[in-house]
Amino acid sequence: MRNLVAVVALLVVLAACSDTDSVVTVDSTSTTIETTTTQPSSTTSAATSSTDGADSTTTLVDPTDTVPLDGGAVAVYFTTGDGADCSTVEEWARPELAEMTALEAALTHLVAGPTPDEIAEGAGSNFSAATADSLVRVTHDESGYVVVDLTDHGGWVSLSSASCSSAALLAQLNATVFQFGDVDRVRYELDGSCERMFNVLQSECTEFDRSGSISLALAERADGRGCAPGEGPLGDGRWFGFVADGSSDQAINFDLACWFTGAAAVQASAEDGEESPPPNDYYVRNSVSTIRVMNPGPGATALWYPSGDPTEFNETDIATWLEWRSTQEFQLGVWIDTADGQIIRIVEQWVP
């Protein structure tokens, strides 16, 4: 997705402005919204090119430009106010982006932070131009469940650990995501892990719906999308487990498991009658008997540790990794990233 932003070009500026912007107060554990009217923000619209034989348009714009909140635009939300309520955010208009869904475009704009004009008008965020490459992937299934996977480009993570910063970050994310009526529930991840995301925010893995935060069952707090899909096929996302015998670069035999860290690892290991707290602060539960055959897509890669040192790794095609792996007595667990029903990347999980 981050590569999509690179195609943005050919900006044609047209004068335009919105009638109003909205001030939105979003509790850090809720998505309840109260709206009041403020002065309009600085706005700029962008030219669009019509697609052949269709009424839709494709917009080629700079992702930091703003446009009126009308057709072809999405909203982003940044922190405003005097600091008395860290979860107060304001709505800003941005253009849709070529080859992205509206949700992807809104989040791409959000992680690029406020523009200089918006900052001058009071917008604040730990996201900035330096963090613009922080959105890894957005998945959105038919039930309205969204997973937003982020990475720490530009250092926004270290700025978000204090309570006020955490509340502001979640308010910006929740308001931006829940502007779309087909989103009912959202999970935020850092490098594919909800636990890592909320460790930064000094809490346990939490999801949100339109009424507020959701207290997750233990299995749902495990990394790997909750690792509880029953015996059916896995959806798109990131899954933890083990590579079973008989795997090839055309078909990976995957044994799904649950990876717990922190307080969730303590609880899960105690429930299973194992040493608790577990050694090295992680615990693996492997209770699903089904071995799933998963097919790597074109260009799929594997990241692996040839020496056992976590600071030294290779990333190669899957065939090269499997050949090396066949020579190893100890087999690490893996994270498998899937999209459109195919494996796009495998990452070994180093353990001490």
Side-chain angles (χ1 to χ4, degrees):
M1 177 184 304
R2 289 172 282 169
N3 293 335
L4 294 177
V5 179
V7 303
V8 174
L10 303 179
L11 176 66
V12 180
V13 177
L14 300 175
C17 63
S18 61
D19 294 332
T20 62
D21 287 321
S22 298
V23 173
V24 182
T25 301
V26 183
D27 188 278
S28 62
T29 60
S30 174
T31 56
T32 302
I33 297 177
E34 298 177 358
T35 305
T36 58
T37 300
T38 64
Q39 294 301 313
S41 62
S42 173
T43 60
T44 303
S45 65
T48 60
S49 58
S50 297
T51 56
D52 292 339
D55 294 330
S56 61
T57 59
T58 300
T59 307
L60 300 176
V61 295
D62 187 312
T64 62
D65 284 334
T66 55
V67 297
L69 275 177
D70 53 19
V74 295
V76 293
Y77 294 81
F78 297 119
T79 301
T80 56
D82 59 7
D85 182 354
C86 301
S87 61
T88 298
V89 296
E90 183 173 341
E91 180 183 86
W92 306 85
R94 296 292 177 83
E96 293 187 8
L97 299 177
E99 300 182 42
M100 291 188 188
T101 67
L103 174 58
E104 290 170 338
L107 287 165
T108 297
H109 286 303
L110 179 68
V111 300
T115 65
D117 284 346
E118 291 165 353
I119 292 171
E121 295 177 18
S125 179
N126 287 341
F127 293 126
S128 67
T131 70
D133 221 19
S134 293
L135 183 63
V136 177
R137 182 174 60 232
V138 180
T139 61
H140 186 181
D141 68 22
E142 293 180 355
S143 72
Y145 182 67
V146 167
V147 178
V148 178
D149 189 14
L150 302 164
T151 194
D152 186 23
H153 286 175
W156 63 268
V157 167
S158 62
L159 299 173
S160 302
S161 59
S163 59
C164 184
S165 295
S166 297
L169 178 75
L170 289 172
Q172 293 169 56
L173 286 166
N174 282 338
T176 299
V177 167
F178 283 112
Q179 71 181 282
F180 301 102
D182 57 352
V183 177
D184 294 317
R185 179 165 170 164
V186 63
R187 177 186 182 97
Y188 302 114
E189 298 182 346
L190 180 63
D191 297 322
S193 170
C194 183
E195 286 287 349
R196 294 189 192 102
M197 179 70 176
F198 282 86
N199 282 345
V200 170
L201 305 181
Q202 301 182 38
S203 64
E204 288 291 308
C205 173
T206 303
E207 295 182 1
F208 299 87
D209 64 13
R210 292 183 176 273
S211 64
S213 61
I214 301 169
S215 180
L216 297 178
L218 179 67
E220 292 181 33
R221 283 190 278 140
D223 288 337
R225 287 281 299 278
C227 42
E231 303 297 319
L234 301 181
D236 290 346
R238 173 173 257 216
W239 304 93
F240 178 77
F242 300 92
V243 175
D245 293 342
S247 294
S248 71
D249 62 339
Q250 300 299 311
I252 297 294
N253 297 326
F254 185 59
D255 181 10
L256 181 69
C258 296
W259 171 272
F260 297 95
T261 59
V266 174
Q267 183 180 344
S269 57
E271 287 183 354
D272 292 349
E274 303 293 340
E275 181 181 353
S276 185
N280 301 310
D281 197 41
Y282 76 89
Y283 178 70
V284 174
R285 175 183 287 165
N286 191 358
S287 58
V288 178
S289 60
T290 301
I291 300 297
R292 294 171 169 84
V293 179
M294 305 182 69
N295 304 117
T301 62
L303 185 150
W304 46 283
Y305 304 100
S307 68
D309 183 339
T311 65
E312 299 176 2
F313 59 86
N314 290 339
E315 183 152 5
T316 65
D317 60 81
I318 290 178
T320 300
W321 169 65
L322 286 172
E323 181 178 0
W324 169 85
R325 187 177 175 89
S326 67
T327 67
Q328 304 302 301
E329 182 176 348
F330 181 73
Q331 303 288 314
L332 292 173
V334 299
W335 296 95
I336 289 186
D337 292 338
T338 61
D340 299 325
Q342 293 184 312
I343 296 172
I344 57 174
R345 191 173 188 236
I346 298 175
V347 178
E348 287 192 334
Q349 173 63 59
W350 182 86
V351 294

